[in-house]
C-alpha cells in the first residue's frame, strides 16, 4: 500500500523529485556482520572435517568439523562444529553446520519448509586420501575433502555442479560469554572485544546484541554456469550481476519508501534461493536462514572481473559463477539442487517449500484498488462504473481508511455503516471485496485487540521484556507475536464472521506492512533486539528463553499470513479457498498468499521492472505476483496507463492501485480512446481466465513457474539467458509487453528451432518461425503475444461483468499447429471457490489435435464436474491441408460440423460444434 514518508509526498510532487532516502538503510559497511565477514577472505579455510568422526546412518552423514589454528605447528583446535549431510529425494542434498555445544540453541528457521524433507538413500563409496565419496540412490555424488573442508556435488552426468567452501568463506561465529569490563588506572574501559561485538548503532538506534556476534557465511561455486538467478526481491535484472565493485544483494524485509530501480537494496521480500544455469546444466542452493542476509556474486564472464582473478580461480575458464551468503545469525543450513534442467531445480526448491495451492478463480481476474475508496457510496459508484463502461472487474479493495481510525477488524461507523449490505451488493454481480488488515495494533484504551493483547501478553517484547511500542499508521502501535501458537490462534479467530462483523466468505484479506513496517524503528522496521516467543522445551532462562527479532525477521510476515490463512479457513469450516495478498515475502510464502511488488511509481521504468521482479519471485516459488497497475505514486498519463493495463493483463496478479494523494484514475476517467484501450486489456484478461486458472491448477501440482523465463523452456539457447523483458505463460504463450513510451516497434525474441518451432500472433494467427530476434510493429492497441505452434489455448469471448458470471459461457478453442500439424493443451474446471475439487468434483482434461481427429479426454476419469460450458468454435491456425468433413462424436451422439476456411492465413474455423465440456468428445476429420 504505502510507506512511511507519506507526509513528504505532497512536497515531493511539487518539486518533482522522487527518490529513496538511502540514509535510512544500511550499506554492508554499516551492517556490523556484513562488514566483518565480507572482509574475511582467508587463503585457506580453517574448517577441517575430522575423518575419525564420520558416521553414515540412513540418509545422513554426520561428522565433526573443527576450526584449526594453522599458524602454529601443533594444529590447535579452536572450535568444534557438527556437520550433517543428508541425501533427499529428487536430486537434493542438505548440509547443516552448527556448533557442537552452543552456549544457547542457535535459531533454526521454522516455517519455510513444507514439512520434513523426504529422505533418499546415501552410500559411502570411498574414504581415502582425505576424501570421502558418497552417492544417493539416483547416482548424484558428493565428494568431501577433509582439510580444508570442501564439498563438491556432482550431477548424474558426472559434472561438478555446485561446490561449497571452495573460496574458504565458511564461517560460523561461535556464541560466547561476554567478557567482564576491564578498566585501566583512569577508570576507562580497555577494549577487550572487537568494537560492535556487544552492541552497534545505526543513526539514532542502538542494537544491544545480547548474544554478541553470531554470524554465518558460506560460499558456493557453480562451474559451467553462465548466470545465476533468484534471491528476490530486488529491482535489478533477472540475471544477477557481479557485486565486487559495489554493494552485495541484500535480503532483509523492509518497507522502503520510493524504492529505486536497478538496485541491490533490500525491499519487502527476501527469498534466499539461488539458481545457476549454463548450456550444460542448472543447479541451485537454498540458504535456509531467516536473518538479515547479504549475497555477493562473482560472474567470471563479467567484464568487471579482472582477468588475473579469472586466471587464478578458474584457470582462465570464464564460465563460472561464485556466490557467497552472509547472515547475521542462525546456523549454516543449505539445500543443494542438482537439476539438471531449469525446471528441475525450480521444482526441487518448490517441493521443499511447498507449491502454491489452487487460488479461488476470482483472484486471477481484475482487481480495483485505491487508497482509498472513501465510503460506501464511493464503493458503489466505482462498482457501477465498471458496469456503465462495460469493463469486467471482480474485486473492489479497501485500504486502511475503511477502519474505525486504523483499528483493524472494525469499520468506520460513519463511512461504512452497512458493510454487509455493501458486500451483498458486490456479490450480487459476482464481485468480491478485499479489506486490508495490517499486523500493527493501535494502542488505544478500549480497543479490544489492544486490551486482549496487553492483558494476555500477546505482543512482541522489547529488549527489556516490556511490550514493544512503535509508530505506524494508527500512531503508537504494538505488534502481535505470531511465533507464539496461542497468539496465532487468537489472531486467526479474529477473522471469524462474528469477530469481524459484516464480513462473509466473499471478503478476502490484504496483509500489508508485515515486514514489519515500524515508522520510527531502525531502517523502518522492528529493532533486532526485540523478543519473540520460543517454545519452553528449548530451555527457558536468560538468553535461551526467547528469540530475538534478528533471528526471525525475514519470516515474521510468513507467520502473519499463515495465521490469517488459518483464520480464513476456519471462518467458513474450511469450505472456501482464501485469497490473501502479502507485501513481505519469504521462502514458503506461496503456500498462503500472493505477492505484489509494493509501492512502485507511475514511471516507465517501474512498468518495465515488473517483469524481472515477478520472474525472480516466480523462480522462488511465488508465481502469484504482480505490480500496482498504473503505478502507486504519481499519476500515469494515458499512454503509460494503457501499457500498464496491457502488461498487467498478462501478469498473474492484476490489480490497479493508487496513492491517496494522486488524481483518481478509474479506467473511465481517461479520455474515451484510452478507456477503450483499458477495457480491451481487461477483456483480454477475462477471455483467458480459464487458461490462467488451468495454469494455476497445474502450478499447484508441479510447482513450476506460471510466468516463466524463456531459458526454462529453451535451456540450451544462450540468447535467452539474459532475456527478462519477455516471458512465457506456461509453455504456450509468449508475452512481450510494451514498456517503452512512443514506440512503433519492439524487438521480440522467438525461441526454438527455425525449422520446427512456430509462434502465432494471437491477434492475426500469422505464424512466425522461431528465428531469434524479430522486429515487430506495434500500435497503442497492440501488444506482441504469441501462441506456440503445438499449443492449444481456450478462450471465453462473451463479455460479462465478472468472472463468476462467465462460469457457464462457451469456449473458443484456439489450436495453433506445429510443423507436424499437431497440437495439445489442457483445461481445468471446478466451482472456482471451494475445496470440493479434493472430492473429485473437477475436470482436468487434455485436448489433442491431430490431422485425423481432435480429442477432449479426462486425465482422471473418476473426477467430473457438471459444467454447462460448451464449445462454440474451434479455430485451427496454420492448417496446410484442410479436411473436407468433420464429425463430432460425444457419447451416443454424432453430429456433422460446418467449417470455414480463411485462406491467406491458413485458419480453419469449426463452427458451433456445441460439444458439452462436461463429457469427453472427439471430432473426426476426413480428407
Ligand atoms: C446496495 O444497493 C442498493 C441498490 O443499488 C442501494 O440503494 C444501496 O444503497 C446499496 N447499499 C450499500 C450499503 O451500498
Ligand atoms: C514432429 O514429429 C516428429 C516425429 O514424431 C518429432 O520428432 C518432432 O519433434 C515433431 N515436431 C514437432 C515440432 O513437434
Amino acid at each position: 500500500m504505502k510507506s512511511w514518508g507519506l507526509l513528504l509526498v505532497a512536497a515531493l510532487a511539487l518539486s518533482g523529485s522522487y527518490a529513496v532516502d538511502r540514509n535510512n538503510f544500511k550499506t554492508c559497511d554499516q551492517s556490523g556482520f556484513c562488514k566483518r565477514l565480507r572482509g574475511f577472505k582467508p587463503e585457506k579455510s580453517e574448517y577441517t572435517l575430522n575423518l575419525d568422526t564420520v558416521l553414515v546412518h540412513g540418509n545422513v552423514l554426520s561428522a565433526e568439523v573443527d576450526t584449526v589454528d594453522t599458524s602454529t605447528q601443533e594444529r590447535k583446535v579452536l572450535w568444534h562444529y557438527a556437520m550433517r549431510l543428508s541425501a533427499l529425494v529428487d536430486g537434493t542434498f542438505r548440509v547443516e553446520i552448527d556448533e557442537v555445544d552452543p552456549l544457547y540453541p542457535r535459531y533454526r528457521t521454522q516455517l519455510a519448509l513444507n514439512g520434513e524433507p523426504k529422505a533418499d538413500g546415501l552410500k559411502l563409496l570411498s574414504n581415502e586420501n582425505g576424501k570421502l565419496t558418497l552417492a544417493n540412490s539416483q547416482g548424484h555424488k558428493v565428494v568431501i575433502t577433509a582439510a580444508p573442508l570442501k564439498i563438491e556435488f556432482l550431477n548424474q552426468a558426472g559434472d561438478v555442479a555446485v561446490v561449497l567452501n571452495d573460496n574458504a568463506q565458511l564461517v560460523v561465529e561461535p556464541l560466547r560469554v561476554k567478557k567482564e569490563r576491564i578498566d585501566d588506572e583512569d577508570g576507562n574501559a580497555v577494549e577487550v572485544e572487537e568494537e560492535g561485538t556487544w552492541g552497534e548503532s545505526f543513526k539514532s538506534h542502538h542494537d544491544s546484541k545480547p548474544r554478541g556476534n553470531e554470524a554465518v557465511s558460506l560460499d558456493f561455486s557453480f562451474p559451467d554456469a553462465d548466470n545465476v538467478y533468484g534471491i528476490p526481491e530486488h529491482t535489478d535484472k533477472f540475471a544477477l550481476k557481479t557485486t565486487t565493485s559495489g554493494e552485495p544483494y541484500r535480503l532483509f524485509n523492509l518497507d522502503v519508501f520510493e524504492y529505486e530501480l536497478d538496485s541491490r537494496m533490500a525491499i519487502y521480500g527476501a527469498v534466499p534461493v539461488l539458481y545457476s544455469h549454463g548450456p550444460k546444466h542448472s543447479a541451485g542452493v537454498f540458504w535456509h536462514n531467516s536473518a538479515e542476509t547479504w549475497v555477493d556474486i562473482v560472474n567470471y564472464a563479467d567484464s568487471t572481473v579482472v582477468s588475473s582473478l579469472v586466471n587464478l580461480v578458474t584457470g582462465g575458464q570464464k564460465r563460472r559463477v561464485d556466490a557467497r551468503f552472509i547472515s547475521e545469525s542462525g546456523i549454516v543450513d543449505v539445500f543443494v539442487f542438482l537439476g539438471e534442467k531449469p525446471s528441475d531445480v525450480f521444482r526441487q526448491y518448490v517441493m521443499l517449500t511447498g507449491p502454491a495451492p489452487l487460488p479461488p478463480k476470482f483472484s486471477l481476474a481484475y482487481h480495483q484498488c485505491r487508497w482509498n475508496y472513501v465510503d460506501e457510496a464511493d464503493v458503489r459508484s466505482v462498482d457501477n462504473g465498471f458496469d456503465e463502461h462495460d469493463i469486467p472487474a471482480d474485486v473492489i479493495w479497501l485500504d486502511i481508511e475503511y477502519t474505525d481510525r486504523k483499528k483493524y477488524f472494525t469499520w468506520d461507523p460513519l463511512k461504512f455503516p452497512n458493510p454487509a449490505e455493501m458486500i451483498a451488493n458486490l456479490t450480487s454481480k459476482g464481485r468480491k471485496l478485499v479489506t486490508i488488515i495490517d499486523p500493527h495494533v493501535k494502542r488505544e484504551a478500549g480497543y479490544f485487540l489492544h486490551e486482549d493483547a496487553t492483558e494476555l501478553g500477546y505482543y512482541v517484547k522489547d529488549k527489556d521484556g516490556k511490550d514493544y511500542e512503535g509508530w505506524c499508521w494508527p500512531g503508537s502501535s504494538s505488534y502481535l507475536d505470531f511465533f507464539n501458537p496461542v497468539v496465532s490462534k487468537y489472531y486467526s479467530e479474529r477473522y471469524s464472521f462474528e469477530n469481524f462483523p459484516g464480513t462473509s466468505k466473499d471478503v478476502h484479506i490484504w496483509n500489508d506492512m508485515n515486514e514489519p513496517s515500524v515508522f520510527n524503528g531502525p531502517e523502518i522496521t522492528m529493532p533486532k533486539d526485540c523478543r519473540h516467543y520460543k517454545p519452553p522445551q528449548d530451555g527457558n532462562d536468560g538468553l535461551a528463553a526467547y528469540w530475538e527479532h534478528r533471528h526471525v525477521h525475514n519470516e515474521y510476515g510468513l507467520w502473519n499470513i499463515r495465521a490469517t490463512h488459518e483464520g480464513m479457513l476456519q471462518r467458513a469450516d474450511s469450505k472456501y479457498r482464501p485469497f490473501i495478498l502479502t507485501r513481505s515475502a519469504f521462502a514458503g510464502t506461496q503456500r498462503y498468499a500472493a505477492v505484489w511488488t509494493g509501492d512502485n511509481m507511475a514511471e516507465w521504468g517501474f512498468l518495465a521492472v515488473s517483469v524481472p521482479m515477478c520472474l525472480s519471485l516466480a523462480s522462488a516459488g511465488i508465481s502469484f505476483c504482480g505490480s500496482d497497475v498504473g503505478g502507486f505514486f504519481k499519476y500515469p498519463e494515458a499512454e503509460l496507463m494503457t501499457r500498464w493495463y496491457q502488461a498487467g493483463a498478462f501478469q498473474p496478479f492484476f490489480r490497479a492501485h493508487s496513492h491517496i494523494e494522486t488524481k483518481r484514475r478509474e479506467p473511465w476517467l481517461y479520455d474515451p480512446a484510452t478507456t477503450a484501450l483499458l477495457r480491451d486489456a481487461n477483456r483480454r484478461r477475462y477471455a483467458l481466465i480459464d487458461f490462467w486458472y488451468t495454469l494455476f491448477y497445474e502450478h499447484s501440482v508441479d510447482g513450476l513457474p506460471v510466468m516463466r523465463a524463456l531459458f526454462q523452456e529453451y535451456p540450451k539457447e544462450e540468447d535467452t539467458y539474459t532475456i527478462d523483458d519477455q516471458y512465457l505463460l506456461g509453455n504456450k504463450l509468449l508475452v512481450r509487453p510494451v514498456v517503452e513510451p512512443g514506440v512503433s516497434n519492439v524487438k521480440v525474441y522467438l525461441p526454438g528451432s527455425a525449422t520446427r518451432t512456430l509462434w502465432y500472433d494471437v491477434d492475426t494467427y500469422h505464424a512466425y518461425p522461431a528465428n531469434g530476434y524479430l522486429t515487430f510493429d506495434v500500435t497503442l492497441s497492440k501488444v506482441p503475444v504469441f501462441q506456440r505452434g503445438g499449443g492449444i489455448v481456450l478462450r471465453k469471448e462473451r463479455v460479462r461483468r465478472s468472472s463468476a458470471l462467465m462460469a457457464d459461457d462457451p469456449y473458443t478453442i484456439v489450436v495453433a499447429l506445429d510443423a507436424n500439424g499437431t497440437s495439445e493443451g489442457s483445461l481445468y474446471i471446478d466451482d472456482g471457490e471451494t475445496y470440493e475439487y479434493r472430492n473429485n468434483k473437477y475436470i482436468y482434461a487434455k485436448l489433442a489435435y491431430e490431422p485425423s481427429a481432435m480429442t477432449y479426454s479426462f486425465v482422471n476419469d473418476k473426477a467430473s464436474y457438471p459444467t454447462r460450458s460448451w464449445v462454440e468454435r474451434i479455430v485451427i491456425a496454420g492448417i496446410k491441408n484442410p479436411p473436407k468433413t468433420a464429425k463430432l462424436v460425444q457419447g451416443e451422439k454424432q453430429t456433422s460440423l460446418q467449417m470455414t476456411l480463411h485462406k491467406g492465413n491458413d485458419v480453419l474455423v469449426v463452427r458451433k460444434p456445441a460439444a458439452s465440456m462436461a463429457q469427453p468428445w472427439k471430432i473426426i476429420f476426413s480428407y
Side-chain angles (χ1 to χ4, degrees):
M1 169 200 38
K2 55 212 115 59
S3 20
W4 178 231
L6 150 70
L7 301 173
L8 291 171
V9 171
L12 284 167
L14 291 175
S15 72
S17 85
Y18 284 79
V20 68
D21 184 355
R22 284 171 171 243
N23 289 322
N24 279 336
F25 304 102
K26 290 179 185 176
T27 60
C28 175
D29 268 357
Q30 291 168 322
S31 181
F33 75 95
C34 186
K35 181 176 187 191
R36 193 165 71 243
L37 270 67
R38 203 184 191 201
F40 172 78
K41 288 179 179 158
E43 294 237 318
K44 205 168 137 213
S45 180
E46 289 181 336
Y47 289 76
T48 298
L49 184 137
N50 182 340
L51 286 165
D52 299 334
T53 61
V54 171
L55 198 75
V56 179
H57 183 73
N59 71 322
V60 179
L61 170 143
S62 57
E64 196 172 301
V65 167
D66 304 320
T67 42
V68 182
D69 183 354
T70 47
S71 63
T72 61
Q73 283 292 327
E74 70 266 33
R75 288 181 48 87
K76 203 171 107 211
V77 171
L78 300 172
W79 212 259
H80 299 284
Y81 297 92
M83 182 180 111
R84 281 165 60 89
L85 174 121
S86 334
L88 303 172
V89 294
D90 199 13
T92 302
F93 289 90
R94 181 180 196 175
V95 176
E96 294 154 281
I97 302 174
D98 193 356
E99 294 179 62
V100 165
D101 189 19
L103 208 48
Y104 343 94
R106 300 178 71 112
Y107 187 66
R108 289 167 181 256
T109 296
Q110 300 179 66
L111 276 196
L113 299 181
N114 188 31
E116 250 327 284
K118 290 193 183 65
D120 191 9
L122 182 69
K123 249 224 286 292
L124 181 61
L125 302 181
S126 68
N127 176 356
E128 52 196 22
N129 307 326
K131 272 188 204 235
L132 304 166
T133 304
L134 301 108
N136 68 5
S137 73
Q138 294 176 279
H140 301 95
K141 284 191 182 148
V142 187
V143 178
I144 305 177
T145 306
L149 179 67
K150 174 167 104 171
I151 311 178
E152 294 164 283
F153 293 89
L154 284 68
N155 61 24
Q156 286 166 319
D159 296 326
V160 177
V162 184
V163 188
L164 274 53
N165 203 33
D166 205 18
N167 294 324
Q169 289 168 332
L170 170 61
V171 175
V172 180
E173 292 182 330
L175 293 167
R176 287 175 301 153
V177 179
K178 188 173 180 174
K179 291 198 188 117
E180 289 302 317
R181 176 187 164 114
I182 300 170
D183 290 349
D184 64 14
E185 293 113 60
D186 304 327
N188 299 318
V190 177
E191 200 64 63
V192 293
E193 301 265 17
E194 200 182 327
E195 197 194 325
T197 303
W198 301 98
E200 57 186 82
S201 295
F202 176 67
K203 298 184 77 174
S204 61
H205 302 279
H206 182 73
D207 172 7
S208 63
K209 293 182 67 179
R211 287 166 169 85
N213 292 340
E214 49 175 324
V216 295
S217 139
L218 182 58
D219 64 87
F220 305 96
S221 299
F222 303 99
D224 302 316
D226 281 25
N227 288 103
V228 290
Y229 309 87
I231 53 169
E233 181 177 25
H234 299 97
T235 61
D236 211 2
K237 296 279 181 206
F238 182 41
L240 304 173
K241 297 194 195 110
T242 295
T243 56
T244 29
S245 60
E247 289 289 295
Y249 289 93
R250 189 182 188 199
L251 294 170
F252 192 54
N253 291 347
L254 290 175
D255 180 0
V256 178
F257 180 65
E258 292 174 354
Y259 67 76
E260 63 183 18
L261 296 175
D262 301 314
S263 177
R264 302 172 201 149
M265 283 175 73
I267 49 173
Y268 319 99
V271 189
V273 62
L274 185 83
Y275 305 100
S276 69
H277 182 67
K280 272 177 107 171
H281 55 249
S282 307
V285 294
F286 169 40
W287 180 255
H288 186 214
N289 191 307
S290 45
E292 178 187 346
T293 298
W294 298 76
V295 184
D296 266 315
I297 307 284
V298 180
N299 186 333
Y300 292 91
D302 275 358
S303 53
T304 53
V305 180
V306 289
S307 53
S308 57
L309 181 65
V310 179
N311 289 331
L312 181 73
V313 177
T314 74
Q317 159 69 275
K318 290 199 164 186
R319 222 165 214 158
R320 166 172 163 141
V321 182
D322 289 352
R324 182 210 193 160
F325 283 70
I326 305 173
S327 291
E328 184 172 18
S329 62
I331 63 164
V332 166
D333 185 2
V334 50
F335 293 86
V336 175
F337 309 121
L338 292 178
E340 301 170 10
K341 292 204 283 295
S343 50
D344 296 323
V345 288
F346 297 150
R347 182 194 64 241
Q348 285 156 356
Y349 169 73
V350 166
M351 290 309 150
L352 283 179
T353 55
L358 182 66
K361 194 170 182 182
F362 82 85
S363 64
L364 295 171
Y366 174 75
H367 302 254
Q368 182 67 39
C369 187
R370 177 172 174 84
W371 178 22
N372 220 92
Y373 291 123
V374 296
D375 56 20
E376 287 171 358
D378 197 4
V379 170
R380 196 157 64 241
S381 98
V382 171
D383 175 35
N384 289 335
F386 283 96
D387 304 336
E388 282 155 19
H389 299 88
D390 257 333
I391 302 170
D394 266 52
V395 199
I396 309 280
W397 288 53
L398 291 177
D399 209 320
I400 51 174
E401 314 297 338
Y402 80 89
T403 58
D404 179 10
R405 292 166 299 125
K406 319 289 188 292
K407 290 179 285 185
Y408 303 106
F409 303 104
T410 72
W411 299 85
D412 183 313
L414 295 176
K415 294 175 177 156
F416 293 90
N418 302 304
E421 186 185 308
M422 175 183 74
I423 292 157
N425 281 354
L426 290 173
T427 57
S428 70
K429 299 174 188 172
R431 295 201 174 121
K432 318 282 177 191
L433 184 76
V434 170
T435 62
I436 198 165
I437 301 279
D438 287 348
H440 49 257
V441 177
K442 185 174 192 170
R443 298 183 58 84
E444 183 181 277
Y447 176 29
F448 71 92
L449 195 49
H450 174 59
E451 303 223 314
D452 287 357
T454 307
E455 202 168 297
L456 299 165
Y458 286 175
Y459 283 137
V460 175
K461 303 291 184 285
D462 67 14
K463 68 175 173 41
D464 302 315
K466 297 199 288 289
D467 287 350
Y468 170 68
E469 280 184 54
W471 199 262
C472 208
W473 294 123
S476 178
S477 302
S478 286
Y479 296 75
L480 291 173
D481 188 7
F482 302 104
F483 291 79
N484 182 344
V486 174
V487 178
S488 271
K489 179 167 181 290
Y490 168 84
Y491 182 75
S492 297
E493 287 164 0
R494 293 318 100 201
Y495 286 96
S496 75
F497 301 140
E498 307 79 69
N499 288 334
F500 190 2
T503 60
S504 70
K505 73 169 179 62
D506 294 311
V507 176
H508 295 261
I509 299 296
W510 176 14
N511 287 148
D512 191 6
M513 311 293 280
N514 51 359
E515 295 75 21
S517 176
V518 182
F519 294 161
N520 60 343
E523 302 192 89
I524 328 297
T525 192
M526 190 174 272
K528 286 176 170 170
D529 51 9
C530 276
R531 300 180 181 185
H532 291 272
Y533 172 86
K534 181 176 171 186
Q537 66 265 27
D538 294 344
N540 53 9
D541 37 73
L543 291 171
Y546 60 89
W547 296 119
E548 289 171 52
H549 188 66
R550 94 181 66 251
H551 303 123
V552 307
H553 175 83
N554 285 344
E555 63 175 315
Y556 179 83
L558 181 55
W559 288 80
N560 169 221
I561 58 172
R562 177 186 182 241
T564 302
H565 190 266
E566 184 57 34
M568 290 177 73
L569 285 177
Q570 283 170 10
R571 69 178 188 174
D573 301 323
S574 298
K575 276 206 191 87
Y576 295 96
R577 291 171 239 163
F579 170 75
I580 301 169
L581 182 71
T582 177
R583 192 170 68 184
S584 91
F586 185 59
T589 288
Q590 70 274 7
R591 301 199 302 272
Y592 310 111
V595 174
W596 96 110
T597 61
D599 300 351
N600 60 359
M601 255 180 251
E603 286 180 359
W604 289 93
F606 282 87
L607 166 57
V609 82
S610 67
V611 178
M613 287 178 84
C614 283
L615 280 174
S616 180
L617 281 161
S619 77
I622 303 170
S623 270
F624 206 170
C625 169
S627 66
D628 279 347
V629 170
F632 179 65
F633 297 115
K634 301 176 62 172
Y635 179 78
E637 295 305 333
E639 185 188 359
L640 176 58
M641 190 63 158
T642 301
R643 292 309 193 191
W644 217 315
Y645 266 74
Q646 291 168 340
F650 285 91
Q651 291 179 11
F653 178 58
F654 182 28
R655 182 187 74 154
H657 186 34
S658 51
H659 190 282
I660 196 165
E661 313 239 322
T662 60
K663 198 163 111 188
R664 288 287 286 250
R665 55 168 97 149
E666 287 69 47
W668 50 90
L669 298 179
Y670 285 80
D671 62 277
T674 301
T675 300
L677 291 168
L678 306 185
R679 175 187 299 122
D680 180 59
N682 277 35
R683 288 182 176 179
R684 281 168 185 263
R685 174 57 163 234
Y686 279 77
L688 288 175
I689 195 76
D690 281 41
F691 172 70
W692 279 104
Y693 197 44
T694 301
L695 286 178
F696 269 86
Y697 169 73
E698 290 169 347
H699 176 64
S700 74
V701 175
D702 64 22
L704 293 179
V706 167
M707 180 172 170
R708 59 184 67 153
L710 268 54
F711 78 82
Q712 182 182 330
E713 295 294 324
Y714 302 90
K716 303 265 182 224
E717 243 166 280
E718 292 177 32
D719 281 320
T720 65
Y721 295 176
T722 51
I723 290 178
D724 61 5
D725 59 354
Q726 60 179 75
Y727 56 90
L728 299 164
L729 291 176
N731 61 8
K732 301 225 167 43
L733 293 185
L734 181 149
V735 183
R736 193 322 190 166
V738 179
V739 297
E740 306 88 350
V743 294
S744 55
N745 58 65
V746 293
K747 269 170 69 182
V748 186
Y749 182 89
L750 296 179
S753 141
T755 53
R756 285 184 291 119
T757 315
L758 295 169
W759 292 97
Y760 292 76
D761 180 333
V762 297
D763 295 321
T764 64
Y765 301 123
H766 184 88
Y768 297 85
N771 200 12
Y773 281 102
L774 167 109
T775 301
F776 202 76
D777 287 343
V778 294
T779 60
L780 212 45
S781 61
K782 177 76 186 174
V783 174
V785 178
F786 298 88
Q787 185 170 336
R788 184 177 51 78
I792 295 175
V793 170
L794 289 95
R795 306 169 55 87
K796 282 190 169 178
E797 299 193 319
R798 305 208 173 169
V799 176
R800 305 279 180 191
R801 286 185 288 188
S802 68
S803 68
L805 302 181
M806 296 168 68
D808 294 337
D809 281 354
Y811 289 97
T812 291
I813 303 178
V814 181
V815 179
L817 298 181
D818 64 15
N820 293 344
T822 66
S823 195
E824 54 182 40
S826 53
L827 176 66
Y828 178 79
I829 303 176
D830 68 8
D831 63 27
E833 61 174 3
T834 74
Y835 287 102
E836 281 299 299
Y837 67 92
R838 292 180 177 163
N839 302 322
N840 277 337
K841 297 242 168 51
Y842 70 94
I843 289 170
Y844 182 53
K846 289 281 176 203
L847 292 110
Y849 178 95
E850 284 178 19
S852 61
M854 178 163 184
T855 54
Y856 171 71
S857 57
F858 292 0
V859 176
N860 173 0
D861 56 18
K862 286 192 194 67
S864 66
Y865 185 76
T867 177
R868 292 162 67 186
S869 290
W870 48 282
V871 187
E872 184 165 44
R873 164 182 325 112
I874 301 173
V875 177
I876 303 157
I879 198 144
K880 299 264 154 51
N881 171 27
K884 290 217 169 54
T885 66
K887 185 176 67 182
L888 170 72
V889 182
Q890 186 163 37
E892 305 289 287
K893 220 171 67 187
Q894 300 209 357
T895 327
S896 291
L897 303 177
Q898 304 292 313
M899 295 182 287
T900 328
L901 182 65
H902 299 257
K903 284 241 170 58
N905 50 359
D906 300 336
V907 176
L908 182 74
V909 177
V910 183
R911 285 156 52 198
K912 261 210 167 170
S916 160
M917 296 305 266
Q919 300 293 336
W921 48 256
K922 183 171 192 169
I923 294 172
I924 298 164
F925 298 107
S926 66
Y927 292 80

